[in-house]
Amino acid sequence: MLKKRIIPCLDIKDGRTVKGINFVGIRDAGDPIELAKNYVKQGADELVFLDITATIENRSTLIDLVKRIAKEINIPFTVGGGISSVEDVSKLIEAGADKVSINSSAVKRPELITEIAEKFGSQCVVVAIDTKYEDSEWKVFVNGGRKATGLNTVEWAQQVEAERSRRNSPNLNE
């Protein structure tokens, strides 16, 4: 039987943790560094940090905040938001991230999944899928859930898996 794991996700906007429902009604939820430290104390197995406006603001993830959080925690740390290149991933890994999560950039350029895996290993890349039920089917959204893509969620997940399988050759890091 698989072990249950607790993986809190900090949605970050303007350097603060925020909460909302279905990407709307966003409100301040506190200091991300203090929340990250509290999650570690409470026994979280991993932490996810998503800079939810980086893509729509056409900017990189808040690297300084990633560095500050990474210094305070000792659990695996996944970072997402505004990642569109292998260079972006390099900066985040150097700042203390263990993995990255991509969504909008994976939809825009699926080969980025393979590029990240080839450089850092397949364990380093997570493909997130924002999805909403519309017109009797689940559809993929990008830009923090704000923009419909027209992609069917299941078909997109299958395409992501095919990309993962393509990159899943032995010894990618050698």
Side-chain angles (χ1 to χ4, degrees), residues 113 156-168:
I113 301 164
W156 171 237
Q158 290 169 337
Q159 184 178 343
V160 167
E161 176 59 19
E163 187 71 24
R164 186 199 66 79
S165 296
R166 195 178 113 221
R167 73 171 192 253
N168 203 18

Side-chain angles (χ1 to χ4, degrees), residues 34-93:
E34 290 306 313
L35 288 169
K37 289 169 32 177
N38 284 336
Y39 281 128
V40 171
K41 286 179 193 170
Q42 293 173 22
D45 297 298
E46 185 172 337
L47 181 69
V48 176
F49 167 115
L50 298 176
D51 188 342
I52 63 170
T53 56
T55 298
I56 61 171
E57 293 174 358
N58 199 28
R59 64 170 171 78
S60 298
T61 304
L62 301 169
I63 297 285
D64 289 337
L65 185 54
V66 170
K67 286 179 185 176
R68 291 170 42 216
I69 291 172
K71 286 180 184 176
E72 297 292 336
I73 65 173
N74 60 356
I75 58 177
F77 186 28
T78 302
V79 177
I83 300 165
S84 60
S85 69
V86 170
E87 293 76 27
D88 291 341
V89 176
S90 288
K91 290 175 187 174
L92 290 167
I93 299 296

Side-chain angles (χ1 to χ4, degrees), residues 11 13-20 25-32 35:
D11 289 344
K13 181 177 189 255
D14 301 326
R16 298 284 295 172
T17 305
V18 295
K19 290 295 173 195
I26 294 174
R27 62 179 171 74
D28 187 274
D31 176 60
L35 288 169

Side-chain angles (χ1 to χ4, degrees), residues 1 10 12 26 28 37-38 44 54 67 69 79 86 90 95 99 108 112 116 126 128 131 138 140 142 154 159:
M1 184 166 152
L10 300 178
I12 307 296
I26 294 174
D28 187 274
K37 289 169 32 177
N38 284 336
K67 286 179 185 176
I69 291 172
V79 177
V86 170
S90 288
K99 297 186 250 184
K108 183 177 181 179
L112 180 61
I116 294 169
V126 175
T131 187
W138 288 96
V140 175
V142 294
V154 173
Q159 184 178 343

Side-chain angles (χ1 to χ4, degrees), residues 103 107 127-134 136-142 147-161:
N103 178 16
V107 171
V127 177
I129 302 174
D130 291 341
T131 187
K132 293 181 187 176
Y133 196 72
E134 283 192 340
S136 301
E137 67 177 311
W138 288 96
K139 296 287 190 170
V140 175
F141 280 69
V142 294
K147 182 179 176 188
T149 65
L151 292 171
N152 173 281
T153 300
V154 173
E155 291 171 5
W156 171 237
Q158 290 169 337
Q159 184 178 343
V160 167
E161 176 59 19

